[in-house]
C-alpha cells in the first residue's frame, strides 16, 4: 500500500538546476481537492493550490518553475486506478493543513496547472511515481510555499464588472510568523500601478481584502499581485489576472 512519507531535507531544491538525486516532479501546497463523481470511488480529481513544477531548460538540465497558483485536473492513471485513488485520498486529507508535499516524477508527465476559472476538456492522467511525500517544513521550498497568500477573488482569469473591484486573498499557511499583513498591487493594461498599504486578514475567514481606486474598464485585462509582510520580512508574491466586462 502506498503511504505518505516524510521527505528528507536534502530532497528540496531551489529554482536553480536540480541535483541528480532529486526525483520530484511537483512540489505543492494543496488548498483543496475535489473528487468526482464521489469521494469513495472517484474517476477524476481537481487539485487546487500553489505549485512548483519541474521544467526542462535547454542546456542546463531540470529547473523548477516559480510558484504558480492554479488547479491541476487529473484522471486515473492507466492501469493504476487503486494507487491513484489512494494518493488522491491522501492529497484530500492534507489539503488546507499547510503541509507541503512532493509527488510525480521530474522526468515524466506532470499535468498542466490551469487558471481557476478555466474549463478543461481533457484530463491529464495522474502522475504515479514514488508516492506522496511530506516535506519538512523548515526546507526552503516548504518555507517559500507556506509564505504565499492564495488569490481568492476575483478568480484568476475571470471577467468582472466595470468599475471598482475588491481584491481578496487567503492568508499564508505559516502560522508561526507573527503580525502578518498583506500588500496588494494592481497593474492596468497601460502599465499604471496602484499599491495598497499593508492590510490585516480578517480573524474568522483569514482573508485579506483591498479595494483600489483604479476603475476597471470593459475588455481590458488587469494583473494583480499580493504578498505577505511582517516587520522587515517580505514574502514572495503570487500573481493573478482578470478582465473587465461591461454590463449587458
Amino acid at each position: 500500500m502506498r503511504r505518505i512519507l516524510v521527505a528528507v531535507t536534502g530532497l528540496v531544491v531551489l529554482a536553480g538546476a536540480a541535483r541528480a538525486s532529486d526525483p520530484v516532479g511537483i512540489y505543492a501546497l494543496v488548498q483543496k481537492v475535489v473528487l468526482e463523481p464521489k469521494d469513495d470511488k472517484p474517476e477524476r480529481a481537481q487539485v487546487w493550490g500553489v505549485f512548483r513544477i519541474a521544467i526542462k531548460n535547454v542546456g542546463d538540465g531540470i529547473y523548477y518553475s516559480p510558484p504558480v497558483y492554479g488547479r491541476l485536473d487529473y484522471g486515473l492513471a492507466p492501469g493504476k486506478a487503486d494507487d491513484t485513488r489512494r494518493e488522491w485520498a491522501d492529497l484530500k486529507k492534507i489539503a488546507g493543513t499547510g503541509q507541503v508535499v512532493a509527488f510525480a516524477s521530474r522526468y515524466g508527465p506532470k499535468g498542466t496547472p490551469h487558471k481557476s476559472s478555466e474549463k478543461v476538456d481533457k484530463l491529464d492522467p495522474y502522475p504515479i511515481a514514488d508516492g506522496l511525500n511530506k516535506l519538512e517544513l523548515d526546507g526552503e521550498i516548504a518555507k517559500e510555499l507556506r509564505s504565499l497568500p492564495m488569490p481568492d477573488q476575483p478568480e484568476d482569469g475571470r471577467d468582472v464588472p466595470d468599475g471598482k473591484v475588491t481584491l481578496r486573498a487567503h492568508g499564508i499557511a505559516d502560522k508561526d510568523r507573527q503580525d502578518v499583513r498583506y500588500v496588494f498591487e494592481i497593474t492596468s493594461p497601460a502599465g499604471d500601478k496602484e499599491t495598497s498599504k499593508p492590510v490585516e486578514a480578517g480573524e474568522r475567514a483569514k482573508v485579506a481584502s483591498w479595494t483600489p481606486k483604479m476603475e476597471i474598464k470593459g475588455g481590458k485585462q488587469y494583473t494583480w499581485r499580493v504578498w505577505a509582510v511582517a516587520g522587515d520580512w517580505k514574502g514572495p508574491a503570487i500573481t493573478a489576472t482578470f478582465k473587465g466586462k461591461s454590463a449587458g
Side-chain angles (χ1 to χ4, degrees):
M1 178 177 177
R2 305 175 72 85
R3 295 184 297 175
I4 296 180
L5 304 176
V6 177
V8 297
T9 304
L11 182 67
V12 177
V13 179
L14 293 180
R19 292 192 295 265
S21 60
D22 182 14
V24 174
I26 301 174
Y27 291 104
L29 175 61
V30 180
Q31 182 184 29
K32 67 177 180 179
V33 174
V34 178
L35 301 178
E36 296 176 331
K38 51 186 179 180
D39 283 5
D40 59 348
K41 198 171 183 180
E43 300 294 322
R44 52 193 178 271
Q46 294 180 342
V47 182
W48 302 68
V50 286
F51 311 100
R52 293 193 68 181
I53 300 176
I55 54 177
K56 291 183 178 179
N57 194 35
V58 177
D60 253 337
I62 301 291
Y63 278 65
Y64 287 90
S65 69
V68 58
Y69 174 76
R71 187 189 74 239
L72 295 166
D73 292 77
Y74 289 127
L76 296 169
K80 297 181 179 179
D82 289 344
D83 285 342
T84 301
R85 289 178 174 131
R86 277 194 284 267
E87 287 199 25
W88 286 353
D90 286 340
L91 282 168
K92 192 174 179 71
K93 287 178 184 177
I94 60 95
T97 66
Q99 176 64 57
V100 179
V101 294
F103 65 101
S105 167
R106 69 174 181 173
Y107 299 111
K110 289 165 278 292
T112 302
H114 301 280
K115 292 180 180 295
S116 56
S117 61
E118 186 177 351
K119 294 183 178 180
V120 175
D121 295 324
K122 185 178 180 181
L123 301 175
D124 293 308
Y126 181 73
I128 292 289
D130 296 323
L132 192 64
N133 295 273
K134 289 183 179 179
L135 269 67
E136 295 177 355
L137 299 185
D138 59 354
E140 290 301 318
I141 285 182
K143 288 195 294 185
E144 177 188 44
L145 295 183
R146 284 167 50 81
S147 296
L148 282 162
M150 293 194 189
D152 180 42
Q153 296 291 336
E155 290 187 18
D156 194 14
R158 184 70 69 185
D159 290 351
V160 303
D162 293 5
K164 296 291 186 181
V165 65
T166 297
L167 309 177
R168 294 164 49 92
H170 295 280
I172 64 174
D174 183 0
K175 304 307 179 187
D176 292 331
R177 196 170 288 279
Q178 301 296 311
D179 300 320
V180 177
R181 289 174 170 78
Y182 298 88
V183 178
F184 294 84
E185 181 181 82
I186 186 170
T187 305
S188 74
D192 298 322
K193 290 184 180 181
E194 185 179 345
T195 306
S196 75
K197 294 180 179 180
V199 298
E200 295 184 9
E203 278 301 315
R204 178 173 297 180
K206 300 299 182 185
V207 172
S209 64
W210 173 63
T211 303
K213 295 178 181 179
M214 186 179 293
E215 294 278 340
I216 306 306
K217 297 180 180 179
K220 304 294 185 180
Q221 180 168 290
Y222 296 78
T223 300
W224 65 282
R225 304 194 306 150
V226 58
W227 60 90
V229 295
D232 294 333
W233 174 80
K234 176 183 176 180
I238 199 78
T239 300
T241 63
F242 64 86
K243 184 183 290 185
K245 181 181 180 181
S246 298

